Amino acid sequence: QVQLVESGGGSVQSGGSLRLSCVITDSTNSIYYVGWFRQAPGKEREGIATVGENGRITYEESVKGRFTISRDKAKNTVDLQMDSVELEDTGMYYCAAGPYTFGGSPLAARRYNYWGRGTQVTVSS
C-alpha cells in the first residue's frame, strides 16, 4: 500500500515563495517516480516536476528556473520549492508516485497510480 500526504499549500503574493512537502508511505517497495502535479481551475491535471529513483529530474517548461523538486529517500519525502510564483501557478497541487515504466515523459500522469489528496496554492497580485 502506498499513501501520500501533502502539506504546505496556502496563499502567496505574486513573486513570493512557497514550499510544498509530501510524505510517502510505501509498503510495496515498487515506487520509482515521485512528482508534483498541478490542476488549475477548468484545466487538466499537468505534471510540473518529477524525480526518478535514479535521480533524474524533469520539469515542465513554465516552472523551469523557478521551482525545485527534491527527494529525501531517508525521510520518504518529496518537496517542491516554489520561487517567483506567478498568478498562473494557482491551482491544486498533488503529490504522486508510480512504478518504473519504459518510454514517454516522466511528467505523464498515466505513469502514476498513487495520488495524494492535494493541497491548494493561491497566488494573488
Side-chain angles (χ1 to χ4, degrees):
Q1 185 177 4
V2 178
Q3 293 182 325
L4 304 100
V5 179
E6 306 97 334
S7 62
S11 297
V12 59
Q13 286 193 321
S14 179
S17 297
L18 205 61
R19 188 176 184 89
L20 307 183
S21 185
C22 175
V23 177
I24 303 169
T25 304
D26 176 20
S27 62
T28 68
N29 199 32
S30 65
I31 298 304
Y32 188 88
Y33 292 104
V34 293
W36 286 93
F37 288 72
R38 172 175 68 199
Q39 187 163 20
K43 295 188 177 181
E44 292 186 357
R45 192 174 299 187
E46 61 174 349
I48 57 172
T50 69
V51 55
E53 181 69 19
N54 61 357
R56 177 190 173 192
I57 291 176
T58 305
Y59 292 106
E60 192 270 331
E61 284 296 322
S62 71
V63 307
K64 280 184 179 178
R66 301 189 299 119
F67 291 8
T68 304
I69 189 171
S70 58
R71 184 178 185 178
D72 188 326
K73 293 181 184 179
K75 295 181 180 179
N76 291 321
T77 60
V78 56
D79 292 352
L80 184 69
Q81 177 66 38
M82 306 168 61
D83 297 318
S84 302
V85 297
E86 302 170 351
L87 294 176
E88 293 76 17
D89 294 323
T90 293
M92 186 69 78
Y93 283 69
Y94 298 91
C95 180
Y100 177 82
T101 54
F102 180 77
S105 169
L107 294 174
R110 60 175 176 78
R111 287 181 174 274
Y112 300 82
N113 45 7
Y114 301 107
W115 295 84
R117 292 189 173 185
T119 186
Q120 176 68 34
V121 172
T122 302
V123 182
S124 60
S125 58

